[in-house]
C-alpha cells in the first residue's frame, strides 16, 4: 500500500482506511485479552498479535514530514508548558525527561532506574524499546553504540522525586500504557498540549513549508538545540546525542546559537514544584498514555499571568 501511495495510485487516506479495515481490526479482534465481545473469533492474547510490529502505510503527513525539519521549543515556551496545570503531571514529567536527556523515544522508553548513575550524575543508554511490539532490545537507536548522558542539575530534583515513588530499582522509569501505535498517538497528544498551554507560535503549532509542527520527537531537537544555545562543545554534544559526527548533530538537531539566549530565555530552566511532589495517579512509576482533550476543554493556560520566562505569578 505504501508503494501505491508513493506512486499516486491511491490516496494516503484510502491506504490508512484499508489498513485499518483489512489488517488492524480483524487481528485486534482475533488477538485479545479475553474480551468477551470477540470470544467467538479469539485466537490468542494481544501480546501475540503479529501485526503490532508491522508499520502501517505511509501517510500524507509523513510524506510531507520527510521534506521538512523538526524545530525546537524555546525555553520560555517550555517553561509556560511546564507551568500549565491543565496538563497532567505525568505528561509534563515525560516532556521534561525527553527534553533534558534528549534521547530518541525508543531509548527513553527503555530506561530503567538501574541505568541512573547517581554518583556520576549520568544516565547510561544501553537498550531500546520497540514501541509497537513492546519488545526490549539491547543496543541503542544509533550506530554510535552505548553512551552516557549527563543529568542536568535542574533535572536531578525531578529524577530523585520519581525515584522515591518507584516500586523497584529494576522497573522502567516510564511505563507506557496503551495500545499499539502509541508512538504515533504521542505526537498528537504533544501537539494538543502545546496548544493547551497557550503556545501559539504559528511555525511551532502549524509548521511551515520547511518546518514540521512540533511533535514528541521534537523534544530531542529541543534539548540538543538548547545545548547549542549554551555553546556546548560540538564533539561532546554529538557524543551525548549518540551521533558519530558533530555534523549530524548540528545539521539536524542544533537549531539555535548563543545569540538566541537574549531572545528566548535560559535553556534547561528549573522545573515547577508540583512536578517534584508525589503524583497520586502515578502508581509509583511515571505512567503515560494518550488521553482525550475532552477532559481539559474548560481549562486553559494562556490566560495565566506569566512573566517572560513562563513562571506563574
Amino acid at each position: 500500500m505504501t508503494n501505491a501511495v508513493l506512486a499516486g495510485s491511491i490516496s494516503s487516506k484510502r491506504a490508512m482506511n484499508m489498513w485499518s479495515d483489512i489488517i488492524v481490526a480483524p487481528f485486534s479482534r482475533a488477538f485479545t485479552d479475553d474480551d468477551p465481545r470477540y470470544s467467538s473469533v479469539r485466537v490468542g492474547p494481544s501480546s501475540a498479535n503479529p501485526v503490532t510490529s508491522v508499520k502501517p502505510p505511509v501517510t500524507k503527513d509523513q510524506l510531507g514530514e520527510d521534506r521538512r525539519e523538526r524545530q525546537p521549543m524555546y525555553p520560555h515556551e517550555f517553561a509556560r508548558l511546564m507551568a500549565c496545570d491543565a496538563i497532567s503531571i505525568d505528561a509534563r514529567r515525560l516532556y521534561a525527561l525527553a527534553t533534558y536527556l534528549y534521547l530518541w523515544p525508543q531509548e527513553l522508553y527503555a530506561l530503567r532506574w538501574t541505568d541512573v548513575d547517581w554518583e556520576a550524575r549520568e544516565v547510561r543508554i544501553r537498550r531500546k524499546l520497540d514501541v509497537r511490539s513492546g519488545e526490549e532490545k539491547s543496543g541503542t537507536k544509533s550506530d554510535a553504540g552505548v553512551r552516557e548522558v549527563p543529568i542536568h542539575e535542574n533535572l536531578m530534583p525531578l529524577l530523585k522525586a520519581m525515584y522515591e515513588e518507584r516500586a523497584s530499582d529494576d522497573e522502567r522509569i516510564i511505563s507506557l500504557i496503551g495500545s499499539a501505535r502509541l508512538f504515533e498517538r504521542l505526537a498528537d497528544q504533544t501537539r494538543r498540549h502545546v496548544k493547551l498551554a497557550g503556545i501559539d507560535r504559528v511555525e511551532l503549532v502549524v509548521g511551515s513549508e520547511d518546518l514540521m509542527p512540533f511533535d514528541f520527537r521534537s523534544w530531542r531537537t529541543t534539548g540538543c538545540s538548547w545545548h547549542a544555545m549554551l555553546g556546548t562543545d560540538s564533539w561532546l554534544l554529538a557524543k551525548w546525542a549518540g551521533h558519530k559526527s558533530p555534523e549530524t548533530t548540528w545539521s539536524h538537531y542544533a537549531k539555535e546559537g548563543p545569540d538566541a539566549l537574549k531572545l528566548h530565555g535560559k535553556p534547561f530552566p528549573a522545573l515547577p514544584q508540583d512536578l517534584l511532589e508525589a503524583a497520586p495517579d502515578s502508581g509509583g512509576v511515571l505512567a503515560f498514555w494518550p488521553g482525550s482533550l475532552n477532559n481539559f476543554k474548560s481549562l486553559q493556560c494562556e490566560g495565566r499571568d506569566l512573566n517572560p520566562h513562563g513562571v506563574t505569578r
Side-chain angles (χ1 to χ4, degrees):
M1 283 188 283
T2 292
N3 289 336
V5 172
L6 295 175
S9 302
I10 61 174
S11 68
S12 58
K13 181 177 181 180
R14 174 58 177 162
M16 287 301 298
N17 289 338
M18 292 172 62
W19 169 261
S20 177
D21 294 342
I22 299 174
I23 305 296
V24 177
F27 276 92
S28 296
R29 291 177 174 84
F31 294 89
T32 65
D33 290 323
D34 294 321
D35 191 327
R37 294 173 297 175
Y38 307 122
S39 58
S40 61
V41 296
R42 184 176 184 271
V43 175
S46 58
S47 59
N49 189 337
V51 303
T52 56
S53 60
V54 179
K55 293 183 178 181
V58 68
T59 66
K60 183 178 180 180
D61 288 342
Q62 289 168 335
L63 288 173
E65 289 175 356
D66 289 340
R67 297 187 294 268
R68 296 186 288 175
E69 293 188 347
R70 284 186 169 84
Q71 56 183 317
M73 181 177 286
Y74 296 144
H76 71 86
E77 294 170 328
F78 176 85
R80 186 184 191 108
L81 189 144
M82 288 293 106
C84 184
D85 56 13
I87 302 171
S88 73
I89 289 177
D90 278 346
R92 284 182 285 152
R93 282 180 165 184
L94 177 62
Y95 300 152
L97 288 170
T99 303
Y100 286 56
L101 294 176
Y102 42 91
L103 307 178
W104 277 285
Q106 296 91 331
E107 297 173 338
L108 181 65
Y109 303 146
L111 276 183
R112 297 181 182 274
W113 288 113
T114 50
D115 297 321
V116 180
D117 188 329
W118 299 103
E119 184 175 350
R121 301 177 72 87
E122 62 186 18
V123 174
R124 296 184 293 266
I125 313 304
R126 299 289 187 269
R127 68 185 74 85
K128 55 185 174 293
L129 188 73
D130 187 320
V131 294
R132 292 183 175 86
S133 68
E135 181 183 358
E136 189 175 285
K137 300 179 180 179
S138 60
T140 63
K141 173 70 167 58
S142 74
D143 295 330
V146 298
R147 65 189 190 279
E148 290 73 37
V149 176
I151 301 172
H152 191 276
E153 60 180 356
N154 285 336
L155 179 63
M156 187 63 76
L158 174 59
L159 275 181
K160 288 183 175 178
M162 292 171 58
Y163 182 70
E164 292 300 318
E165 300 168 10
R166 77 196 186 286
S168 70
D169 282 346
D170 193 49
E171 72 183 7
R172 290 196 183 115
I173 296 177
I174 298 168
S175 178
L176 289 180
I177 301 174
S179 60
R181 298 190 62 206
L182 181 60
F183 183 64
E184 288 86 351
R185 295 171 63 195
L186 279 171
D188 294 334
Q189 175 118 336
T190 299
R191 289 166 178 160
R192 289 198 295 268
H193 283 163
V194 168
K195 294 178 181 178
L196 184 62
I199 300 171
D200 56 4
R201 181 157 54 94
V202 176
E203 293 162 337
L204 197 74
V205 176
V206 180
S208 67
E209 184 177 346
D210 301 317
L211 298 172
M212 291 170 51
F214 201 85
D215 65 5
F216 190 78
R217 271 282 301 272
S218 301
W219 296 119
R220 172 174 163 84
T221 303
T222 298
C224 290
S225 293
W226 286 1
H227 270 295
M229 290 172 63
L230 293 172
T232 300
D233 179 83
S234 58
W235 286 100
L236 269 181
L237 180 53
K239 176 185 176 182
W240 296 339
H243 294 140
K244 287 186 175 181
S245 168
E247 294 181 4
T248 303
T249 310
W250 286 85
S251 62
H252 293 285
Y253 293 97
K255 304 296 183 182
E256 299 287 348
D259 57 329
L261 284 172
K262 295 181 180 179
L263 297 175
H264 306 309
K266 185 178 180 180
F268 304 106
L271 298 170
Q273 185 61 35
D274 64 337
L275 300 190
L276 312 182
E277 300 170 351
D281 58 346
S282 67
V285 61
L286 194 160
F288 185 77
W289 58 95
S292 170
L293 191 60
N294 293 335
N295 297 330
F296 306 120
K297 283 184 176 178
S298 62
L299 298 172
Q300 296 292 326
C301 292
E302 59 265 31
R304 302 292 180 86
D305 182 16
L306 300 172
N307 66 28
H309 297 290
V311 179
T312 305
R313 291 174 179 161

